Coordinates of all heavy atoms in Angstrom, one line a residue:
Y8 N 53.4 -8.0 -42.5 CA 53.1 -8.8 -41.3 C 54.4 -9.0 -40.5 O 54.4 -8.7 -39.3 CB 52.6 -10.1 -41.8 CG 52.1 -11.0 -40.7 CD1 50.8 -11.0 -40.2 CD2 53.0 -11.9 -40.1 CE1 50.4 -11.8 -39.1 CE2 52.6 -12.8 -39.1 CZ 51.3 -12.7 -38.6 OH 50.9 -13.5 -37.6
M9 N 55.4 -9.4 -41.1 CA 56.7 -9.7 -40.4 C 57.3 -8.4 -39.8 O 57.8 -8.4 -38.7 CB 57.7 -10.5 -41.3 CG 57.2 -11.8 -41.8 SD 56.6 -13.0 -40.5 CE 58.2 -13.3 -39.7
D10 N 57.2 -7.3 -40.6 CA 57.7 -6.1 -40.1 C 57.0 -5.6 -38.8 O 57.7 -5.1 -37.9 CB 57.6 -5.0 -41.2 CG 58.7 -5.1 -42.3 OD1 59.6 -5.9 -42.1 OD2 58.5 -4.4 -43.3
L11 N 55.7 -5.9 -38.8 CA 55.0 -5.5 -37.6 C 55.5 -6.3 -36.4 O 55.7 -5.8 -35.3 CB 53.5 -5.7 -37.8 CG 52.6 -5.4 -36.6 CD1 52.7 -3.9 -36.1 CD2 51.1 -5.7 -36.9
K12 N 55.7 -7.6 -36.6 CA 56.2 -8.5 -35.5 C 57.5 -8.0 -35.0 O 57.8 -7.8 -33.8 CB 56.3 -9.9 -36.0 CG 55.1 -10.8 -35.8 CD 55.4 -12.2 -36.1 CE 54.2 -13.1 -35.7 NZ 54.0 -13.2 -34.3
F13 N 58.4 -7.7 -36.0 CA 59.8 -7.3 -35.6 C 59.8 -5.9 -34.9 O 60.6 -5.7 -34.0 CB 60.7 -7.3 -36.8 CG 60.8 -8.6 -37.5 CD1 60.9 -8.7 -38.9 CD2 60.8 -9.8 -36.7 CE1 61.0 -10.0 -39.5 CE2 60.9 -11.1 -37.4 CZ 61.1 -11.1 -38.7
S14 N 58.9 -5.1 -35.3 CA 58.8 -3.7 -34.7 C 58.4 -3.8 -33.3 O 58.7 -2.8 -32.5 CB 57.8 -2.8 -35.5 OG 56.5 -3.2 -35.3
L15 N 57.7 -4.9 -32.9 CA 57.3 -5.0 -31.5 C 58.3 -5.7 -30.6 O 58.0 -6.0 -29.5 CB 55.9 -5.7 -31.5 CG 54.8 -5.1 -32.3 CD1 53.6 -5.9 -32.2 CD2 54.5 -3.7 -31.7
G16 N 59.4 -6.1 -31.2 CA 60.5 -6.8 -30.5 C 60.2 -8.2 -30.2 O 60.7 -8.8 -29.2
I17 N 59.2 -8.8 -30.9 CA 58.9 -10.2 -30.7 C 60.0 -11.1 -30.9 O 60.3 -12.1 -30.2 CB 57.6 -10.6 -31.5 CG1 56.4 -9.8 -31.0 CG2 57.4 -12.1 -31.5 CD1 55.2 -10.0 -31.9
D18 N 60.8 -10.9 -31.9 CA 62.0 -11.7 -32.2 C 62.7 -11.1 -33.3 O 62.3 -10.1 -34.0 CB 61.6 -13.1 -32.6 CG 62.5 -14.2 -32.2 OD1 63.7 -13.8 -32.0 OD2 62.2 -15.3 -31.9
K19 N 63.9 -11.6 -33.6 CA 64.8 -11.0 -34.6 C 64.5 -11.8 -35.9 O 64.2 -13.0 -35.9 CB 66.3 -11.2 -34.2 CG 66.7 -10.3 -33.0 CD 68.1 -10.5 -32.7 CE 68.5 -9.7 -31.5 NZ 70.0 -9.9 -31.1
P20 N 64.6 -11.1 -37.1 CA 64.3 -11.8 -38.3 C 65.2 -13.0 -38.6 O 64.9 -13.9 -39.3 CB 64.6 -10.7 -39.4 CG 64.4 -9.4 -38.6 CD 64.9 -9.7 -37.2
S21 N 66.4 -13.0 -38.0 CA 67.4 -14.1 -38.2 C 67.1 -15.3 -37.4 O 67.7 -16.3 -37.6 CB 68.8 -13.6 -37.9 OG 68.9 -13.2 -36.5
Q22 N 66.2 -15.2 -36.4 CA 65.9 -16.4 -35.6 C 65.2 -17.5 -36.4 O 64.3 -17.2 -37.1 CB 65.1 -15.9 -34.4 CG 65.7 -15.0 -33.4 CD 66.9 -15.7 -32.7 OE1 66.8 -16.9 -32.4 NE2 67.9 -14.9 -32.3
P23 N 65.6 -18.7 -36.1 CA 65.0 -19.8 -36.9 C 63.5 -19.9 -36.8 O 62.9 -20.2 -37.8 CB 65.7 -21.1 -36.3 CG 67.0 -20.6 -35.7 CD 66.7 -19.2 -35.3
V24 N 63.0 -19.6 -35.7 CA 61.5 -19.7 -35.5 C 60.8 -18.7 -36.4 O 59.9 -19.0 -37.1 CB 61.1 -19.4 -34.0 CG1 59.6 -19.2 -33.9 CG2 61.6 -20.5 -33.1
M25 N 61.3 -17.5 -36.5 CA 60.7 -16.5 -37.4 C 61.0 -16.8 -38.8 O 60.1 -16.5 -39.7 CB 61.3 -15.1 -37.0 CG 60.8 -14.5 -35.7 SD 59.0 -14.2 -35.7 CE 58.4 -15.7 -34.8
Q26 N 62.1 -17.4 -39.1 CA 62.4 -17.8 -40.5 C 61.4 -18.8 -41.0 O 60.9 -18.8 -42.1 CB 63.8 -18.3 -40.6 CG 64.9 -17.2 -40.5 CD 66.3 -17.8 -40.6 OE1 66.5 -19.0 -40.4 NE2 67.3 -16.9 -40.8
T27 N 61.1 -19.8 -40.1 CA 60.1 -20.8 -40.4 C 58.8 -20.2 -40.6 O 58.1 -20.6 -41.6 CB 60.1 -21.9 -39.3 OG1 61.4 -22.5 -39.1 CG2 59.0 -22.9 -39.6
L28 N 58.3 -19.3 -39.7 CA 57.0 -18.7 -39.9 C 57.0 -17.9 -41.2 O 55.9 -18.0 -41.9 CB 56.8 -17.7 -38.7 CG 55.5 -16.9 -38.8 CD1 54.3 -17.8 -38.8 CD2 55.4 -16.0 -37.6
N29 N 58.0 -17.2 -41.5 CA 58.0 -16.5 -42.8 C 57.9 -17.4 -44.0 O 57.2 -17.1 -44.9 CB 59.3 -15.6 -42.9 CG 59.2 -14.6 -44.0 OD1 58.2 -13.9 -44.2 ND2 60.2 -14.6 -44.9
Q30 N 58.6 -18.5 -43.9 CA 58.5 -19.5 -45.0 C 57.1 -20.1 -45.2 O 56.6 -20.2 -46.3 CB 59.5 -20.6 -44.8 CG 60.9 -20.2 -44.9 CD 61.9 -21.3 -44.6 OE1 61.6 -22.2 -43.7 NE2 63.1 -21.3 -45.2
I31 N 56.4 -20.3 -44.0 CA 55.1 -20.8 -44.1 C 54.1 -19.8 -44.7 O 53.3 -20.1 -45.6 CB 54.6 -21.2 -42.6 CG1 55.4 -22.4 -42.1 CG2 53.1 -21.5 -42.7 CD1 55.1 -22.7 -40.6
I32 N 54.3 -18.6 -44.3 CA 53.4 -17.5 -44.8 C 53.7 -17.3 -46.3 O 52.8 -17.2 -47.1 CB 53.7 -16.2 -44.0 CG1 53.2 -16.4 -42.6 CG2 53.0 -15.0 -44.7 CD1 53.5 -15.2 -41.7
E33 N 55.0 -17.3 -46.7 CA 55.3 -17.0 -48.1 C 54.8 -18.2 -49.0 O 54.2 -17.9 -50.0 CB 56.8 -16.9 -48.2 CG 57.4 -15.7 -47.7 CD 57.3 -14.5 -48.6 OE1 56.7 -14.6 -49.7 OE2 57.7 -13.4 -48.2
Y34 N 55.0 -19.4 -48.5 CA 54.5 -20.5 -49.3 C 53.0 -20.6 -49.4 O 52.4 -20.8 -50.5 CB 55.1 -21.8 -48.8 CG 54.9 -23.0 -49.7 CD1 55.8 -23.5 -50.5 CD2 53.6 -23.7 -49.7 CE1 55.6 -24.5 -51.4 CE2 53.4 -24.8 -50.5 CZ 54.4 -25.2 -51.4 OH 54.2 -26.3 -52.2
G35 N 52.4 -20.4 -48.3 CA 50.9 -20.5 -48.2 C 50.2 -19.4 -49.1 O 49.3 -19.7 -49.8
T36 N 50.7 -18.2 -49.0 CA 50.1 -17.1 -49.8 C 50.5 -17.3 -51.2 O 49.7 -17.1 -52.1 CB 50.6 -15.7 -49.3 OG1 52.0 -15.7 -49.3 CG2 50.1 -15.4 -47.9
G37 N 51.7 -17.9 -51.5 CA 52.1 -18.1 -52.9 C 51.3 -19.1 -53.6 O 51.0 -18.9 -54.8
Q38 N 50.8 -20.1 -52.9 CA 50.0 -21.2 -53.6 C 48.5 -20.9 -53.4 O 47.7 -21.8 -53.8 CB 50.4 -22.5 -53.0 CG 50.0 -22.8 -51.6 CD 50.2 -24.3 -51.2 OE1 50.6 -25.1 -52.0 NE2 49.9 -24.6 -50.0
G39 N 48.2 -19.8 -52.7 CA 46.8 -19.5 -52.6 C 46.0 -20.1 -51.5 O 44.8 -20.0 -51.4
S40 N 46.7 -20.8 -50.6 CA 46.0 -21.4 -49.5 C 46.1 -20.6 -48.2 O 45.4 -20.9 -47.2 CB 46.6 -22.8 -49.2 OG 47.9 -22.8 -48.9
G41 N 46.9 -19.6 -48.2 CA 47.0 -18.7 -47.0 C 46.7 -17.3 -47.3 O 46.9 -16.8 -48.5
I42 N 46.2 -16.5 -46.4 CA 45.9 -15.1 -46.6 C 46.1 -14.4 -45.3 O 45.8 -14.9 -44.2 CB 44.4 -14.9 -47.1 CG1 44.2 -13.5 -47.5 CG2 43.4 -15.4 -46.1 CD1 43.0 -13.3 -48.4
I43 N 46.6 -13.1 -45.4 CA 46.8 -12.3 -44.2 C 45.8 -11.2 -44.2 O 45.6 -10.5 -45.2 CB 48.2 -11.7 -44.2 CG1 49.3 -12.7 -44.4 CG2 48.4 -10.9 -42.9 CD1 50.7 -12.2 -44.6
Y44 N 45.1 -11.0 -43.1 CA 44.2 -9.9 -42.8 C 44.9 -8.9 -42.0 O 45.6 -9.2 -41.0 CB 42.9 -10.3 -42.1 CG 41.9 -11.0 -43.0 CD1 42.1 -12.1 -43.7 CD2 40.6 -10.4 -43.0 CE1 41.1 -12.7 -44.5 CE2 39.6 -11.0 -43.8 CZ 39.9 -12.1 -44.6 OH 38.9 -12.7 -45.3
G45 N 44.8 -7.6 -42.4 CA 45.4 -6.6 -41.6 C 44.4 -5.6 -41.1 O 43.4 -5.3 -41.8
A46 N 44.6 -5.1 -39.9 CA 43.8 -4.0 -39.3 C 44.6 -2.7 -39.2 O 45.7 -2.7 -38.7 CB 43.3 -4.5 -37.9
Y47 N 43.9 -1.7 -39.7 CA 44.6 -0.3 -39.7 C 43.8 0.7 -38.9 O 42.6 0.6 -38.8 CB 44.7 0.2 -41.1 CG 45.6 -0.6 -42.0 CD1 45.3 -1.8 -42.6 CD2 46.9 -0.1 -42.3 CE1 46.1 -2.6 -43.4 CE2 47.8 -0.9 -43.1 CZ 47.4 -2.1 -43.6 OH 48.3 -2.8 -44.4
T48 N 44.6 1.6 -38.2 CA 43.9 2.7 -37.5 C 43.4 3.7 -38.5 O 43.6 3.6 -39.7 CB 45.0 3.4 -36.6 OG1 45.9 4.0 -37.4 CG2 45.6 2.4 -35.7
R49 N 42.6 4.6 -38.0 CA 42.0 5.6 -38.8 C 43.1 6.5 -39.5 O 42.9 7.1 -40.5 CB 41.0 6.5 -38.1 CG 41.6 7.4 -37.0 CD 40.6 8.4 -36.5 NE 39.7 7.8 -35.5 CZ 38.4 7.6 -35.7 NH1 37.8 8.0 -36.8 NH2 37.6 7.1 -34.7

């Protein structure tokens, strides 16, 4: 998920905002309250 964001130039991984988002995702998925859906091309 984060790699896709960074590949689009949305922000740098070192930026505090992206660090916070990554922490939210990591914690949420780790405790089972968060989930990421991905869409793939053919």
Side-chain angles (χ1 to χ4, degrees):
Y8 183 89
M9 299 305 291
D10 284 348
L11 178 59
K12 271 190 171 292
F13 299 144
S14 72
L15 301 176
I17 291 174
D18 214 331
K19 296 179 180 178
S21 60
Q22 293 294 328
V24 169
M25 288 297 101
Q26 289 178 344
T27 299
L28 176 60
N29 189 52
Q30 288 175 332
I31 294 170
I32 293 174
E33 289 280 359
Y34 190 96
T36 54
Q38 69 170 359
S40 59
I42 189 165
I43 306 171
Y44 279 59
Y47 291 79
T48 65
R49 67 169 83 245

